[in-house]
Amino acid sequence: MLSVLVTLCCAGLVTAEYQPNWPSLDARPLPSWYDEGKFGIFLVWGVYSVPSFGSEWFWERWQGPKPNKTYVDFMTKNYPPGFSYADFAPLLKAELFDPDEWAKLISDAGAK
């Protein structure tokens, strides 16, 4: 009897398992704040932030199928020959990241 009671009490604690495919991922519920929000602010940064040039499409424009001359020239001028996109990874340190400063800025902008 105790095992049945524990099983029933813990049933709500079981998290859903998703499969690595779109139908499964699309079945997950959205949090209300995301679905009901009128305006969203996302702060996204990654390895592409290190050169501080362009956007998150940095690699595509530098080394993609149709390289952009401006990006190629930037890399030639500022980084040694053979420098790869992966070489940016250890340089992503976020030493100037201040979450409190961002929270205040976003709050002051009227976001909730």
Side-chain angles (χ1 to χ4, degrees):
M1 182 66 162
L2 181 59
S3 64
V4 171
L5 183 59
V6 169
T7 301
L8 290 175
C9 290
C10 294
L13 300 177
V14 176
T15 59
E17 290 188 28
Y18 300 103
Q19 301 302 312
N21 59 57
W22 287 117
S24 177
L25 293 175
D26 286 342
R28 70 193 188 282
L30 288 175
S32 62
W33 59 263
Y34 184 88
D35 200 29
E36 297 166 7
K38 295 179 182 176
F39 181 73
I41 298 173
F42 287 89
L43 300 177
V44 183
W45 53 274
V47 172
Y48 59 83
S49 304
V50 174
S52 300
F53 186 85
S55 69
E56 66 273 13
W57 290 96
F58 184 86
W59 182 89
E60 175 75 17
R61 293 181 178 143
W62 171 37
Q63 295 184 326
K66 296 179 182 178
N68 180 305
K69 183 178 180 340
T70 304
Y71 286 72
V72 174
D73 290 348
F74 172 83
M75 287 303 295
T76 301
K77 179 181 176 185
N78 295 289
Y79 292 92
F83 194 90
S84 72
Y85 190 71
D87 292 330
F88 285 126
L91 303 174
L92 180 62
K93 300 179 182 178
E95 64 270 10
L96 301 177
F97 176 67
D98 181 349
D100 294 328
E101 182 179 350
W102 277 104
K104 182 177 181 331
L105 177 70
I106 292 167
S107 177
D108 289 350
K112 297 180 181 185

